[in-house]
Amino acid sequence: MRFAYRFSGLLGTVYRRGNLNFTRDGNSLLSPVGNRISLFDLKNNKCETLPLATRLNIVCVGLSPDGSLAILIDEEGAALLVSLIGKCVIHQFYFHKPVHSVSFSPDGKKFVVTKDNLAYLYHAPGKKREFNAFVLDKTYYGPYDETTCIDWTDDSKCFAVGSKDMSTWVFGAERWANLIYYSLGGHKDVIVACFFEENSLDLYTISQDAALCVWQCDTELDGLKPMPPKDAAKEKKAVEDDEELLEEPKGEEIHGKADPTEQETRAKVKYSRVAKYFFNKEGDFNNLTAAAYHKKTHLLVTGFASGVFHLHELPDFNLIHSLSISDQRIASISINCTGDWIAFGCSGLGQLLVWEWQSESYVLKQQGHFNSMVSLAYSPDGQYIVTGGEDGKVKVWNTSSSFCFVTFTEHNSGVTAVTFTSTGYVVLSASLDGTVRAFDLHRYRNFRTFTSPRPSQFSCLAVDSSGEIVAAGSQDSFEIFIWSMQSGRLLDVLAGHEGPISSLSFNPMKCVLASASWDKTVKLWDMLDSWRTKETLIMNSDVLVVAFRPDGKELAVAALNGQITFWDHENAVQTGSIEGRHDLQMGRKELDKITAKQAAKGKSFTTLCYSADGQSILAGGLSKFVCIYNVKEQILMKKFEISCNYSLDAMEEYLDRRKMTEFGSMALIDEGGGGDEGVAIPLPGVKRGDMSYRHFKPEIRVTCVRFCPTGRSWAATTTEGLLLYSLDSGLIFDPFELDIDVTPSNIHKTLNQKEYTIAIVMAFKLNEKKLIQEVIEAVPSSEVDVVCSSLPDLYVEKLLEFLASAFETSCHLEFYLIWAHKLLMLHGQKLKTRSVKLLPVIQFLQKSIQRHFEDVSKLCEWNIYNIKYALAISQQRGMKRPAEETPGDEEELDSDSDYLMQEAHKDTLSS
């Protein structure tokens, strides 16, 4: 088995903090998710997480006007210049201090970065390679407090900067003779946003106390006069002389004046406030948190801390409508280029919404789990993933689009375990509220609720291979409850454990249930023998998790001492063990008194999962690493580092001495007054996520890992969200039984001689996907039967695997279906003898065909409906056929219409 898995997607989290950005065409949305960036394609209903990450959480994103470049800046001011075309990092830069905002000029030649009370103007990276991508041009001084927002004029001549000192400054990107830089006041609170009017220097400023000031300029953009060359040359020489004395160049320094004299303002650009409006005349919304303005349509969107947003038309300040989209603070707003779609980000609950304001409908409405995700499960065909969280929600995700399409909120407490039945249409979830619920994925409803005679908190869940028997373990009464899925009745209560039940697992091939407990035992219960204890396996430590191999012949057990042991459960014999404690590499938390090495003594694997072929086992725990072991050799094959985000706790192995003072760790210092979020009332007794702590860092951990039944990917629920890792086949040259004569030119020569079977075998030996596709598509459809019958058994499996992957991208649907049909018909009996080994490949093929079936069936249903509608209309209106049609043609057309109606009726009955 190859271990070329790479990060392929982040599900379960759609927005954390930072500013949202629409792409140039207005069809896609960039959303910062922790230290990663996700791209939501709203037209094609797909989401993609870029394969790059910053060191800390992203706080601001700047997108170039042409949409090819983005600047990602994290909490400490470290920036990445990213190509959105190649999806890779081009350049890294460190701003040395936290950055508040970044914005490209409309012409794409420059960008402004604000940090502290300064604004820095940089030359934007060009289309060619450069020694330094970030070249500082000018530094602007003016505001007395931290800067908050930036906006450019349409011709890139000037930009405005808002500040926490309640002032807004207008600066020039070039030196203009008739523009002096002074502040615009008129507000009584922090400036949240400032916007220029289209092709004008007129300005709108919005403050946190929900006030809008309209500023009119007496000069047009064309009226700005360039500075004489002599004065500009003198200033440039003075700057160069200053830079020789400085260690760090600051570019040209420009100082604004808060209170210029009358002589300085004579014959200069003047601003006058022509209007001031208030959003909350009734006092309903007291804290404006975000705003966006679309210049072409004069549409102003403002968001408030209460989750309400307003749409106004400027400059008359006419209210279009006001809506509430959440009960949390709106952190970011963005409008697309056409002005039709408005994106809202709410960091409190991790919500991302795209609203079409004219039709008053949602284009996108996604929300992750409010608290940590605890459990996950793949559907049998690998198309869907279900997750359960501490917020009591059960969410089902589509792996191809990365979107959540249904959320179940029936549980009243945290969800501890989730699973699919073998059909893939029923989701089961266990919760601490004392219920196990079954959800129907056809009608999206909770159709069964299983409860125990006495209230119990369920910690684990299992369902047998037939989907008829449901088992749940209790962590307070030490019992296992068995229900019937059909009737919902409690069948039995299994007692015998002397500690909380930590894990349950059904044997996929036999009617045997394995239960793990903190009493250092694993019990095997025989379902066919009145649930008697078939065997009890004694361990050296508390057992945390058990898992059966897909063929049911082996049992893996993870204990508190960090060991993974493998058992032949039929004979109750241990066949092997892995010492995994040293592989976890637990990090040191900021407030830990002991080192990570000492703390790791008590750390162990909390989740296990076999690979689809049973040759490997995946293990994770309270660490940033997920380990994959070879079961037969009992050695570590690879360690995956699931996160490099140092905004999370327990990421560093050693203490950072820069954060240590003579009084202790700087993490103990309560930074800031929580002004942005509002100071919350302390809650007594709350340990996790207490809102009275203004500085809270979640700890990195892996709560659940699962392999996809197709064997092509695996998923892990972590502190960051649901991470997907897929096989990366494109970057690896992995030949199979390569011979010296197997070359692309020889393969083409064999293909030209119409020796198709030999050409296919040679192509698989070279194992180049494009070459295999070229050879297979060159085979005439009439020859497929002959080629399949003469293909060696060894290559049948490889061809099936190729067909499954080809279905995902190719448009030759019928051609590949012929190949799959002929292979399965001709080699079905031989494949059946190796069914366990071939199961991942068959499931991968089924997943690909099923996805196409769903797409095509929807199209066919729509076409049938249209035909039925057209026939009904024609019959209703009594349309007469053209005179030139022969009677035979009429009969033929009538029979066609009858046939279409019958087919439509059959489809309706079958659905």
Side-chain angles (χ1 to χ4, degrees):
M1 180 179 177
R2 291 177 297 169
F3 295 93
Y5 289 96
R6 63 176 175 85
F7 173 78
S8 62
L10 173 63
L11 282 71
T13 314
V14 289
Y15 175 75
R16 284 277 171 84
R17 60 180 294 194
N19 58 309
L20 302 169
N21 285 275
F22 274 102
T23 53
R24 185 184 181 186
D25 58 4
N27 296 331
S28 299
L29 180 69
L30 276 175
S31 172
V33 185
N35 66 332
R36 300 182 185 274
I37 197 93
S38 290
L39 184 65
F40 293 89
D41 187 346
L42 303 174
K43 284 282 187 185
N44 299 315
N45 194 40
K46 285 190 177 180
C47 169
E48 179 188 14
T49 304
L50 302 188
L52 47 92
T54 55
R55 191 172 177 273
L56 297 165
N57 285 335
I58 296 169
V59 291
C60 51
V61 179
L63 189 64
S64 64
D66 61 359
S68 61
L69 297 176
I71 297 173
L72 316 179
I73 305 176
D74 68 18
E75 292 167 339
E76 286 186 352
L80 295 180
L81 178 65
V82 173
S83 167
L84 295 179
I85 299 168
K87 293 167 188 169
C88 59
V89 177
I90 298 172
H91 184 68
Q92 297 182 10
F93 191 79
Y94 188 43
F95 287 107
H96 299 287
K97 286 184 180 179
V99 172
H100 304 119
S101 52
V102 57
S103 178
F104 274 88
S105 61
D107 61 6
K109 293 181 179 178
K110 303 204 173 166
F111 67 91
V112 173
V113 168
T114 61
K115 61 179 182 179
D116 289 340
N117 61 335
L118 305 177
Y120 296 86
L121 182 69
Y122 286 85
H123 291 288
K127 304 292 182 188
K128 59 183 186 299
R129 289 187 180 184
E130 295 164 312
F131 177 71
N132 183 9
F134 290 4
V135 179
L136 182 62
D137 185 22
K138 297 180 180 67
T139 304
Y140 296 87
Y141 296 80
Y144 292 104
D145 205 342
E146 290 183 350
T147 47
T148 56
C149 54
I150 309 166
D151 191 55
W152 284 85
T153 55
D154 287 343
D155 61 356
S156 305
K157 288 182 178 178
C158 301
F159 63 92
V161 174
S163 169
K164 286 186 178 178
D165 65 3
M166 301 174 282
S167 66
T168 307
W169 293 75
V170 180
F171 295 113
E174 303 294 336
R175 296 305 302 266
W176 305 107
N178 58 338
L179 177 66
I180 60 163
Y181 309 137
Y182 58 94
S183 65
L184 305 175
H187 286 282
K188 297 179 181 177
D189 209 337
V190 174
I191 305 296
V192 173
C194 54
F195 306 107
F196 281 104
E197 188 53 270
E198 186 181 18
N199 297 319
S200 171
L201 282 168
D202 294 348
L203 192 66
Y204 302 107
T205 56
I206 303 165
S207 60
Q208 196 169 303
D209 60 353
L212 167 71
C213 287
V214 182
W215 302 89
Q216 192 173 24
C217 184
D218 64 350
T219 309
E220 294 295 324
L221 282 171
D222 298 337
L224 293 173
K225 300 173 184 174
M227 185 174 280
K230 291 181 181 178
D231 298 344
K234 284 180 186 176
E235 288 195 5
K236 189 175 181 182
K237 190 174 187 308
V239 168
E240 288 172 357
D241 293 341
D242 290 343
E243 283 183 358
E244 288 177 7
L245 303 173
L246 293 169
E247 292 182 7
E248 182 185 353
K250 290 191 175 181
E252 183 183 346
E253 292 188 16
I254 297 171
H255 295 263
K257 293 188 178 181
D259 191 16
T261 62
E262 189 178 335
Q263 186 177 355
E264 287 175 326
T265 58
R266 193 175 299 152
K268 305 285 186 181
V269 173
K270 289 188 181 66
Y271 275 95
S272 57
R273 194 179 78 190
V274 293
K276 187 173 184 179
Y277 302 105
F278 296 93
F279 292 88
N280 51 346
K281 292 176 183 175
E282 297 84 8
D284 293 335
F285 321 106
N286 56 357
N287 200 358
L288 191 146
T289 54
Y293 180 62
H294 191 258
K295 296 181 181 181
K296 290 180 181 176
T297 56
H298 306 286
L299 182 73
L300 175 69
V301 187
T302 48
F304 294 82
S306 58
V308 173
F309 75 91
H310 292 326
L311 265 69
H312 285 89
E313 188 182 10
L314 296 182
D316 299 327
F317 200 67
N318 298 324
L319 180 66
I320 298 170
H321 62 225
S322 173
L323 289 165
S324 176
I325 56 165
S326 173
D327 56 357
Q328 294 287 321
R329 169 180 176 268
I330 296 175
S332 177
I333 300 176
S334 181
I335 308 175
N336 76 338
C337 56
T338 59
D340 296 327
W341 293 348
I342 306 167
F344 299 94
C346 303
S347 54
L349 290 175
Q351 291 172 304
L352 182 64
L353 306 159
V354 179
W355 174 262
E356 188 169 9
W357 65 275
Q358 288 171 328
S359 63
E360 298 187 17
S361 60
Y362 286 110
V363 177
L364 173 73
K365 188 179 184 182
Q366 290 286 302
Q367 178 182 343
H369 286 278
F370 175 55
N371 285 332
S372 299
M373 278 186 276
V374 175
S375 180
L376 83 111
Y378 269 98
S379 63
D381 60 1
Q383 284 200 78
Y384 307 118
I385 293 177
V386 60
T387 58
E390 290 175 352
D391 56 358
K393 292 180 180 176
V394 176
K395 290 178 173 283
V396 187
W397 307 82
N398 189 317
T399 54
S400 56
S401 69
S402 301
F403 284 130
C404 169
F405 61 90
V406 62
T407 302
F408 300 108
T409 57
E410 279 80 3
H411 284 295
N412 299 320
S413 187
V415 176
T416 53
V418 290
T419 186
F420 273 94
T421 59
S422 55
T423 60
Y425 299 119
V426 176
V427 169
L428 288 154
S429 62
S431 171
L432 296 175
D433 64 3
T435 63
V436 173
R437 295 179 183 270
F439 302 99
D440 181 7
L441 288 187
H442 282 308
R443 296 180 179 85
Y444 300 143
R445 63 188 178 95
N446 175 205
F447 70 94
R448 285 275 187 278
T449 302
F450 307 101
T451 55
S452 54
R454 296 183 304 277
S456 298
Q457 291 188 317
F458 297 122
S459 57
C460 50
L461 176 70
V463 62
D464 77 328
S465 54
S466 67
E468 295 299 321
I469 304 297
V470 179
S474 168
Q475 66 180 23
D476 45 12
S477 66
F478 312 157
E479 294 170 327
I480 301 165
F481 298 90
I482 310 292
W483 295 276
S484 165
M485 175 70 83
Q486 285 284 349
S487 62
R489 290 173 53 195
L490 181 68
L491 299 177
D492 210 341
V493 179
L494 309 183
H497 281 294
E498 298 171 4
I501 312 297
S502 56
S503 178
L504 294 174
S505 179
F506 269 103
N507 189 322
M509 299 300 167
K510 293 184 180 179
C511 303
V512 174
L513 173 69
S515 62
S517 172
W518 292 4
D519 63 3
K520 302 183 182 179
T521 63
V522 173
K523 289 184 183 291
L524 299 170
W525 311 82
D526 194 343
M527 189 169 68
L528 299 178
D529 193 13
S530 303
W531 292 105
R532 288 181 186 173
T533 309
K534 188 180 176 185
E535 200 71 62
T536 301
L537 310 178
I538 309 297
M539 303 293 162
N540 297 326
S541 185
D542 296 4
V543 185
L544 301 180
V545 61
V546 290
F548 274 103
R549 204 165 68 183
D551 62 1
K553 293 180 180 177
E554 189 176 75
L555 182 71
V557 180
L560 194 63
N561 59 4
Q563 270 193 342
I564 302 173
T565 52
F566 300 98
W567 294 78
D568 175 4
H569 60 88
E570 291 287 339
N571 304 313
V573 176
Q574 183 178 333
T575 56
S577 69
I578 294 171
E579 187 69 46
R581 187 174 57 199
H582 302 296
D583 299 327
L584 270 174
Q585 284 190 341
M586 180 68 188
R588 184 168 182 174
K589 290 191 275 189
E590 285 185 336
L591 303 178
D592 275 353
K593 304 293 186 207
I594 57 174
T595 62
K597 192 174 182 181
Q598 296 296 320
K601 285 184 177 178
K603 304 302 176 185
S604 52
F605 293 115
T606 57
T607 176
L608 287 179
C609 181
Y610 274 97
S611 61
D613 57 6
Q615 294 179 14
S616 312
I617 194 163
L618 206 58
L622 300 178
S623 165
K624 63 178 179 179
F625 291 104
V626 170
C627 304
I628 188 162
Y629 295 96
N630 185 298
V631 176
K632 189 178 179 182
E633 303 293 336
Q634 296 172 14
I635 56 171
L636 177 69
M637 299 295 293
K638 188 166 183 179
K639 271 165 66 170
F640 296 92
E641 187 175 3
I642 57 165
S643 178
C644 59
N645 187 0
Y646 284 83
S647 294
L648 302 172
D649 208 357
M651 285 292 295
E652 298 183 89
E653 195 174 347
Y654 304 102
L655 278 181
D656 190 348
R657 295 188 180 275
R658 291 173 296 180
K659 295 180 181 176
M660 298 299 293
T661 65
E662 55 185 311
F663 306 108
S665 173
M666 289 177 69
L668 292 165
I669 300 170
D670 198 3
E671 296 179 357
D676 292 340
E677 314 293 335
V679 180
I681 301 167
L683 302 173
V686 175
K687 290 290 182 187
R688 181 179 289 162
D690 187 353
M691 296 305 290
S692 66
Y693 292 117
R694 298 190 191 115
H695 185 67
F696 174 70
K697 288 180 78 170
E699 182 185 347
I700 183 70
R701 58 179 177 164
V702 179
T703 51
C704 188
V705 291
R706 290 289 180 269
F707 248 102
C708 180
T710 63
R712 306 285 300 176
S713 62
W714 59 269
T717 50
T718 69
T719 312
E720 283 200 306
L722 175 61
L723 302 178
L724 290 182
Y725 286 80
S726 302
L727 267 179
D728 183 12
S729 56
L731 301 176
I732 291 175
F733 176 61
D734 185 19
F736 176 73
E737 295 183 356
L738 191 61
D739 198 341
I740 195 166
D741 297 326
V742 178
T743 60
S745 58
N746 284 348
I747 293 170
H748 286 119
K749 194 183 291 181
T750 310
L751 195 62
N752 292 332
Q753 292 168 1
K754 297 186 178 181
E755 296 177 0
Y756 300 118
T757 307
I758 298 170
I760 288 173
V761 170
M762 289 173 72
F764 274 112
K765 283 184 176 182
L766 199 61
N767 213 1
E768 285 284 343
K769 190 174 179 181
K770 287 185 178 178
L771 191 60
I772 295 169
Q773 184 177 345
E774 184 186 340
V775 171
I776 287 176
E777 288 182 0
V779 178
S781 56
S782 58
E783 297 285 330
V784 171
D785 200 348
V786 178
V787 172
C788 288
S789 60
S790 60
L791 200 65
D793 293 346
L794 188 62
Y795 294 93
V796 172
E797 181 186 340
K798 291 187 171 296
L799 184 52
L800 280 173
E801 190 175 349
F802 170 78
L803 291 174
S805 60
F807 269 120
E808 294 188 331
T809 54
S810 178
C811 57
H812 305 299
L813 187 57
E814 186 187 0
F815 180 71
Y816 282 117
L817 279 172
I818 293 168
W819 272 100
H821 180 254
K822 294 295 181 187
L823 277 175
L824 294 171
M825 290 298 289
L826 292 166
H827 298 273
Q829 290 298 326
K830 291 178 183 177
L831 294 173
K832 203 171 182 180
T833 58
R834 295 179 290 152
S835 59
V836 175
K837 187 182 177 184
L838 290 173
L839 190 62
V841 176
I842 300 298
Q843 285 178 327
F844 184 31
L845 184 66
Q846 183 191 355
K847 176 189 172 183
S848 303
I849 295 173
Q850 181 69 26
R851 189 170 61 83
H852 279 296
F853 172 74
E854 288 175 0
D855 293 342
V856 173
S857 62
K858 284 177 187 175
L859 183 64
C860 291
E861 284 170 10
W862 176 246
N863 289 342
I864 289 166
Y865 169 76
N866 282 336
I867 291 166
K868 286 170 70 177
Y869 178 76
L871 287 169
I873 291 294
S874 64
Q875 288 169 5
Q876 185 181 351
R877 293 182 179 176
M879 289 177 66
K880 293 180 180 178
R881 307 205 176 274
E884 59 268 15
E885 286 183 356
T886 62
D889 291 338
E890 288 181 14
E891 288 172 12
E892 190 180 337
L893 285 165
D894 286 339
S895 63
D896 285 347
S897 64
D898 290 340
Y899 171 74
L900 288 168
M901 288 294 285
Q902 285 170 9
E903 288 298 310
H905 183 62
K906 282 180 189 174
D907 273 21
T908 309
L909 289 174
S910 63
S911 63

